[in-house]
Amino acid sequence: MDKELEQFIKGARQIHLLNHEKQEIRARLFAYMEQHLPRQGGAGFFSSLKFYKYSIASTLAFSFIFIAGISMWAERSLPGDLAYSIKVDVIENIRDVLAIGAEGDLSWHVTEAERRMAEADQLATQGGY
Amino acid sequence: MSKPGISELFLKAYEDYSDAIFRFCYVRVRQRDLALDITQETFIKTWEYLRADKEIWNLRAFLYQVARNLIIDYSRKKKEPSLDHLMDQGFDAPADDNHQLYNALDVKYLMRIIQNMDEKYCDVILMRYVDELSIKGIADIIGESENVVSVRIHRGLQQVRNLISKSNG
């Protein structure tokens, strides 16, 4: 390093805070920090958790109402109705899967046959066939 | 940056970098009281940022950036006084602080050199040789590439040499 640069750096290094200045600013920063503590990250986290909890609950409730409504609409449907495929392909398949054991299976198949007969009766009453 | 360590980290940053930040401010505003105010404000703003749990990837670079913005704000508010004007008024050298006396002549000399330097060269020279920042660190602070920083350092050194030679000759 050449002499000129050393001279320059030497001069620059003399510019610094004096002890009492450094202490005074430190004291003011301390006071400021005490009055302005780090924000509680937990509050934000929990409030967002609460938000998600409510979101999940409302989504579940809405889904339940929607599915129940569709099921009720499909249950009342007859062959040729828009919802009939939901009744036969979705709801009855689920009931079929849920029928436990040979007895349950048999019972469900009997019910299934009764449902078909009831639909036929209804159609006959309505003059569909 | 983890929350529990924020205060300790911040206070350590104050101990480590306050002199450099003060110097950074002082060579630009050339008024000691104002440089002290900007230094303090720099740390307060940084604390505000930290306590809001915002991410700071390089605290040292961040401090320089805050100081730089505050100086720009100040410059916009008030026209910068010339060094001659300051010299006429009497140089704003610090008061006696026990064993910490400035060599006012050296500082005056330095300020005269700095006054005649391009600010962009002066910035990088001080950061590199006085604050001992890496090229990359300087690049992060001033928002330029490392190549640009290297070129500025090279040109800045030439400028320092020329100015010193002129003032000595």
Side-chain angles (χ1 to χ4, degrees):
Chain A
M1 198 185 292
D2 48 48
K3 200 179 167 186
E4 286 86 3
L5 186 58
E6 273 183 28
Q7 200 177 356
F8 181 83
I9 293 167
K10 192 181 155 200
R13 285 199 174 139
Q14 289 198 49
I15 299 172
H16 56 77
L17 291 167
L18 301 178
N19 273 343
H20 73 89
E21 290 168 341
K22 197 162 185 166
Q23 282 165 11
E24 280 165 16
I25 295 177
R26 190 194 294 115
R28 283 196 284 268
L29 284 176
F30 262 130
Y32 188 87
M33 288 166 72
E34 277 179 6
Q35 286 169 359
H36 301 83
L37 295 169
R39 288 173 198 155
Q40 291 300 309
F45 174 75
F46 284 118
S47 59
S48 61
L49 193 70
K50 214 178 198 176
F51 170 76
Y52 284 120
K53 207 165 79 179
Y54 284 128
S55 300
I56 290 166
S58 58
T59 306
L60 284 174
F62 178 78
S63 304
F64 178 77
I65 292 166
F66 181 76
I67 291 168
I70 292 283
S71 303
M72 284 169 71
W73 176 53
E75 277 294 309
R76 285 199 294 267
S77 65
L78 295 170
D81 287 349
L82 191 67
Y84 191 72
S85 60
I86 299 174
K87 180 181 180 178
V88 177
D89 297 333
V90 180
I91 298 172
E92 291 190 354
N93 275 343
I94 292 170
R95 290 184 71 169
D96 194 18
V97 170
L98 293 176
I100 301 162
E103 209 170 306
D105 262 356
L106 182 66
S107 169
W108 163 240
H109 287 308
V110 170
T111 307
E112 201 178 5
E114 285 169 356
R115 283 159 70 93
R116 293 295 88 83
M117 285 169 71
E119 286 164 6
D121 283 346
Q122 273 185 287
L123 283 171
T125 309
Q126 290 173 10
Y129 287 92
Chain B
M1 202 170 284
S2 68
K3 212 170 232 315
I6 282 177
S7 302
E8 292 79 4
L9 197 88
F10 176 73
L11 291 171
K12 187 175 185 315
Y14 176 74
E15 296 308 319
D16 292 347
Y17 308 133
S18 53
D19 281 328
I21 295 297
F22 170 73
R23 182 163 45 240
F24 183 78
C25 300
Y26 185 66
V27 296
R28 283 157 191 80
V29 300
R30 293 163 195 156
Q31 294 170 59
R32 192 168 188 88
D33 286 344
L34 182 60
L36 288 170
D37 285 348
I38 295 175
T39 302
Q40 181 177 299
E41 191 61 21
T42 298
F43 280 92
I44 283 176
K45 279 192 181 295
T46 304
W47 173 248
E48 277 298 325
Y49 207 84
L50 280 172
R51 84 184 187 94
D53 208 17
K54 292 180 185 168
E55 198 69 33
I56 297 179
W57 55 274
N58 182 337
L59 189 51
R60 190 181 191 185
F62 186 84
L63 285 165
Y64 277 97
Q65 282 164 348
V66 172
R68 203 170 189 224
N69 290 340
L70 287 170
I71 292 164
I72 291 167
D73 287 348
Y74 163 75
S75 306
R76 282 179 187 151
K77 282 180 197 161
K78 193 177 176 181
K79 201 168 180 278
E80 200 174 355
S82 71
L83 183 64
D84 288 338
H85 177 69
L86 288 173
M87 292 298 186
D88 290 344
Q89 282 188 326
F91 187 72
D92 193 13
D96 188 348
D97 184 51
N98 300 328
H99 303 292
Q100 280 191 306
L101 271 170
Y102 274 0
N103 182 337
L105 276 177
D106 277 356
V107 177
K108 271 186 190 177
Y109 178 78
L110 173 92
M111 294 305 278
R112 209 172 267 288
I113 302 290
I114 286 173
Q115 169 84 356
N116 290 303
M117 280 183 83
D118 285 345
E119 196 171 280
K120 61 183 180 182
Y121 297 147
C122 180
D123 276 354
V124 295
I125 292 293
L126 290 175
M127 286 183 199
R128 182 76 185 106
Y129 294 104
V130 181
D131 301 335
E132 296 177 343
L133 281 156
S134 66
I135 304 280
K136 189 182 179 313
I138 299 169
D140 290 339
I141 291 166
I142 66 170
E144 296 285 356
S145 70
E146 291 179 43
N147 280 345
V148 169
V149 173
S150 299
V151 170
R152 284 190 189 174
I153 286 172
H154 181 71
R155 290 180 184 164
L157 286 175
Q158 283 184 329
Q159 204 170 53
V160 170
R161 286 186 193 109
N162 291 340
L163 289 168
I164 291 174
S165 298
K166 270 186 200 170
S167 68
N168 288 344

